[in-house]
Amino acid sequence: MTSRTLDAVNKQIQAEFQSAYIYLAMSGRFEDMKMSGAANWMRIQWQEETAHAMKLFDHLIRRGQAPVLETLDAPTVSFESALDAFEQVLAHEQHVTKLIHELYEVAIEEKDYALQTLMHWYIDEQVEEEENAEAIIDSLRLAGESGQGLFLVDRELGQRAPEEEEE
Ligand code: FEO
């Protein structure tokens, strides 16, 4: 693995942990808003992002490289409604998709075939991440910002369970 590739993977590990940190903060904010379903969804998203980071971390270990963990920023969580929050999630995931594509390009340029194969998983995962956020935004728009509709969406978000690890 070239030093450029290694640096790029370490940066993505940081980005995935940073995502986890943001979603955990959002989970706390939703608890504060008494939206326990959305808080649950965010808590599971925190676990998923941690798993994304660890998949890259373990890839480095398997290839005899020592991962270098970088500093995380304190998440700034600022939203007044669930719709606002999930619009932020979508924007964040679109940003992560861009990072994943850039890492894939590095893997191609550096002829790192093993990393290219691994990145296919992340590319697919990002399609799912954006799709999930868009579906929730659609539901929230239909529900409106208060009352029974919002209650029902929150209840549905509360049913999200951790995914089985895919190999
Ligand atoms: Fe790890 Fe939400 O992308």
Side-chain angles (χ1 to χ4, degrees):
M1 186 175 266
T2 65
S3 64
R4 181 179 175 224
T5 315
L6 181 58
D7 283 354
V9 173
N10 279 325
K11 280 210 163 41
Q12 191 60 36
I13 291 172
Q14 178 197 32
E16 299 291 349
F17 277 128
Q18 187 68 56
S19 301
Y21 217 30
I22 290 168
Y23 294 136
L24 185 61
M26 284 184 159
S27 178
R29 168 81 180 122
F30 272 123
E31 294 285 6
D32 197 41
M33 291 164 72
K34 309 296 176 208
M35 290 189 66
S36 60
N40 169 70
W41 193 95
M42 289 292 176
R43 186 179 283 245
I44 288 173
Q45 194 63 22
W46 161 63
Q47 290 173 357
E48 282 217 354
E49 298 299 351
T50 303
H52 295 172
M54 292 310 296
K55 210 176 180 77
L56 287 166
F57 184 95
D58 288 338
H59 182 76
L60 292 186
I61 303 279
R62 289 174 71 195
R63 295 185 61 191
Q65 306 284 343
V68 176
L69 296 179
E70 301 190 25
T71 311
L72 300 180
D73 295 326
T76 32
V77 175
S78 166
F79 58 84
E80 293 304 324
S81 71
L83 180 60
D84 184 15
F86 279 94
E87 280 172 344
Q88 289 180 29
V89 170
L90 178 59
H92 183 72
E93 289 304 328
Q94 287 166 338
H95 166 68
V96 173
T97 298
K98 201 165 150 275
L99 297 180
I100 291 292
H101 292 175
E102 284 169 5
L103 180 53
Y104 186 57
E105 280 165 27
V106 171
I108 289 169
E109 284 165 17
E110 297 294 316
K111 297 188 175 8
D112 191 322
Y113 302 111
L115 183 59
Q116 285 174 35
T117 302
L118 180 67
M119 293 317 294
H120 291 161
W121 184 89
Y122 284 88
I123 291 166
D124 288 346
E125 180 70 7
Q126 282 310 120
V127 173
E128 198 181 306
E129 295 276 73
E130 289 189 29
E131 190 183 15
N132 289 343
E134 278 166 0
I136 295 167
I137 288 168
D138 288 346
S139 298
L140 287 167
R141 285 208 176 112
L142 279 174
E145 278 303 303
S146 61
Q148 198 182 10
L150 189 62
F151 172 79
L152 291 172
V153 176
D154 189 57
R155 198 167 66 175
E156 197 182 314
L157 294 174
Q159 283 165 5
R160 185 183 188 190
E163 277 181 14
E164 295 291 323
E165 176 64 19
E166 299 164 49
E167 289 303 329

